């Protein structure tokens, strides 16, 4: 009995020592909860307005790129059609020239292949000989002219074919540019609309008010500079027609790439207005700025086009009294605005 107690005690002691000798598992105190990530500060409405304005400006630049590529594509398509017609006509002409050459060759064969000089010598008639010499010379000249015309027509045909191939290459390149520009336009407009859609109704109303206030400040600063003091010229006859057309479109929606009659973008409005006045002008605001004669602001008259922003991506038509008619941007309609309500790059005159 005593031995059993001693054995039990020994086992208990060994177990206790084993427990003490084994590594102790540490349990850390629970970590305090991590703070919630800081929420970004909400942008002010003025910051939102500026961001939306920047997006629409970028869309406007992409629209100009799209319109220019489309205009070039139309021109190249027209060139290809003309070249195709020239190729068809050239092929028909070559066939006709070859037919004439074949007729001459058959005539030579019927005369046993003798050259004209030999046939004349064998005729034995002096007068016939003299008449024949003249006809032979005329025939030789005609043959030479026929071969020359055939060669020239074949060279022209080759040139037309090469030009058509070049225009096809350019056409495809401009279609790629159009696709890229369209993708950018859609992305910028979608981003701007998303920003606006996140605003409450009151905020959207306030946003419109901020836009109008920004335009008013710019217009006031422009007028305060004395810019309007010397602007008192009358519109030309064609300028009056252009102004009449443009103002008649007031209330129609802005749609990028549109040239009427139901909707317009900024340069679509101005180009169509001047087309209606009998003076076709470039399709895009950038090309209008690049190609049309520049006019000093003090010499501006109704019908002239005011080009806006450093990259010439917006245009409006001056109508007098410090005002323009223009198609502002997506979500807005053709309207009147202060001529100085945006950053003026310069003025151009379509009928200078």
């Amino acid at each position: 009995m005593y031995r059993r107690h001693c054995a039990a005690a020994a086992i208990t002691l060994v177990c206790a020592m084993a427990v003490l000798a084994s590594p102790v598992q540490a349990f850390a105190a629970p970590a305090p909860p991590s703070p919630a990530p800081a929420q970004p500060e909400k942008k002010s409405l003025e910051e939102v307005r500026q961001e939306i304005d920047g997006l629409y400006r970028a869309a406007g630049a992409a629209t100009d790129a799209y319109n220019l590529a489309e205009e070039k594509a139309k021109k190249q398509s027209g060139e290809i059609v003309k070249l195709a017609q020239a190729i068809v006509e050239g092929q028909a002409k070559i066939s006709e020239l070859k037919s004439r050459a074949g007729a001459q060759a058959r005539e030579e064969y019927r005369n046993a292949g003798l050259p004209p000089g030999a046939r004349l010598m064998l005729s034995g008639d002096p007068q016939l000989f003299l008449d024949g010499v003249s006809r032979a010379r005329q025939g030789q000249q005609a043959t030479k002219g026929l071969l020359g015309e055939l060669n020239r027509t074949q060279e022209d045909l080759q040139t037309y074919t090469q030009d058509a191939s070049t225009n096809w290459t350019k056409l495809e390149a401009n279609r790629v540019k159009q696709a890229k520009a369209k993708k950018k336009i859609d992305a910028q407009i979608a981003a701007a609309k998303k920003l606006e859609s996140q605003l409450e109704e009151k905020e959207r109303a306030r946003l419109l008010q901020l836009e109008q206030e920004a335009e008013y400040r710019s217009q006031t600063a422009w007028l305060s500079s004395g810019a309007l003091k010397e602007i008192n010229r009358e519109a030309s006859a064609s300028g009056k027609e252009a102004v009449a057309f443009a103002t008649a479109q007031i209330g129609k929606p802005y749609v990028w790439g549109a040239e009427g009659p139901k909707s317009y973008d900024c340069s679509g409005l101005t180009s169509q207005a001047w087309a209606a006045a009998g003076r076709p002008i470039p399709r895009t605001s950038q090309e209008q700025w690049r190609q049309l004669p520049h006019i000093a602001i003090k010499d501006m008259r109704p019908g002239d086009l005011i080009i806006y922003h450093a990259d010439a991506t917006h245009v409006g038509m001056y109508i007098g009294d410090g005002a323009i008619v223009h198609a502002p941007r997506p979500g807005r309609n053709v309207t009147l605005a202060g001529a100085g309500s945006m950053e003026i790059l310069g003025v151009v005159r379509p009928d200078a």
Side-chain angles (χ1 to χ4, degrees):
M1 186 74 177
Y2 173 75
R3 287 180 181 174
R4 284 200 299 271
H5 282 298
C6 287
I11 291 170
T12 302
L13 179 61
V14 170
C15 290
M17 291 178 67
V19 170
L20 291 173
S22 64
V24 178
Q25 185 176 1
F27 292 94
S34 57
Q39 294 295 322
E41 291 185 12
K42 187 176 180 180
K43 293 179 181 178
S44 68
L45 270 178
E46 176 59 21
E47 289 173 325
V48 172
R49 183 194 72 78
Q50 291 179 5
E51 188 173 352
I52 289 173
D53 185 59
L55 288 166
Y56 281 125
R57 285 271 308 278
T63 298
D64 235 33
Y66 177 91
N67 290 337
L68 181 59
E70 183 180 45
E71 188 176 34
K72 287 183 176 179
K74 285 179 181 177
K75 183 179 179 182
Q76 281 145 8
S77 294
E79 288 295 323
I80 289 169
V81 169
K82 289 179 184 177
L83 288 166
Q85 291 172 341
I87 288 170
V88 170
E89 290 170 3
Q91 288 171 334
K93 188 174 182 181
I94 286 173
S95 296
E96 190 263 336
L97 290 170
K98 285 182 177 179
S99 176
R100 284 166 56 189
Q104 288 184 356
R106 287 191 294 275
E107 179 66 23
E108 291 291 332
Y109 179 77
R110 280 195 294 271
N111 289 310
L114 291 174
R119 292 199 303 272
L120 291 171
M121 290 297 291
L122 295 172
S123 68
D125 186 335
Q127 185 58 47
L128 182 61
F129 176 80
L130 291 174
D131 292 343
V133 167
S134 177
R135 287 195 300 273
R137 284 176 180 169
Q138 291 173 358
Q140 287 171 349
Q141 290 174 349
T143 300
K144 185 178 179 180
L146 178 65
L147 293 174
E149 189 175 3
L150 181 60
N151 287 334
R152 285 193 300 274
T153 304
Q154 287 175 328
E155 289 171 0
D156 288 345
L157 191 60
Q158 185 177 6
T159 300
Y160 295 151
T161 304
Q162 289 172 346
D163 288 347
S165 177
T166 300
N167 274 285
W168 270 114
T169 301
K170 290 180 179 178
L171 180 62
E172 289 306 311
N174 277 308
R175 282 176 176 164
V176 169
K177 287 180 183 177
Q178 278 182 270
K180 287 182 178 178
K182 182 181 186 302
K183 187 176 180 181
K184 185 174 182 181
I185 294 164
D186 290 339
Q188 301 288 1
I189 292 176
K193 286 182 175 179
K194 183 178 179 181
L195 276 174
E196 287 185 275
S197 69
Q198 292 170 346
L199 300 174
E200 295 178 0
E201 187 175 347
K202 289 182 180 179
E203 290 177 317
R204 285 196 290 272
R206 176 60 181 153
L207 184 68
L208 178 58
Q209 186 180 353
L210 288 173
E211 286 179 14
Q212 294 168 342
E213 288 173 359
E215 291 174 2
Y216 177 77
R217 285 194 301 271
S218 296
Q219 175 73 353
T220 302
W222 183 67
L223 294 175
S224 299
S225 70
L228 200 59
K229 288 180 180 178
E230 297 183 55
I231 304 176
N232 56 7
R233 298 175 182 272
E234 273 197 36
S236 64
S238 53
K240 288 177 181 177
E241 290 183 43
V243 168
F245 180 95
T247 52
Q249 313 312 311
I250 290 174
K252 294 182 179 180
Y254 177 106
V255 174
W256 70 264
E259 299 177 81
K262 295 182 179 180
S263 57
Y264 296 87
D265 63 18
C266 66
S267 57
L269 176 65
T270 54
S271 61
Q272 288 302 305
W274 273 102
R279 294 293 184 102
I281 62 173
R283 168 65 177 87
T284 71
S285 58
Q286 290 177 334
E287 289 300 296
Q288 288 168 6
W289 174 245
R290 190 175 71 84
Q291 296 185 34
L292 298 178
H294 291 200
I295 302 297
I297 290 178
K298 65 182 180 63
D299 296 326
M300 188 164 59
R301 70 189 185 193
D304 288 346
L305 306 181
I306 303 181
I307 309 296
Y308 292 97
H309 310 309
D311 54 0
T313 50
H314 191 68
V315 59
M317 179 179 290
Y318 185 65
I319 61 170
D321 296 325
I324 60 167
V325 57
H326 73 142
R329 66 165 177 81
R332 299 287 186 265
N333 298 330
V334 176
T335 187
L336 298 180
S341 59
M342 295 167 281
E343 176 195 2
I344 295 177
L345 176 61
V347 181
V348 296
R349 179 166 293 166
D351 61 341

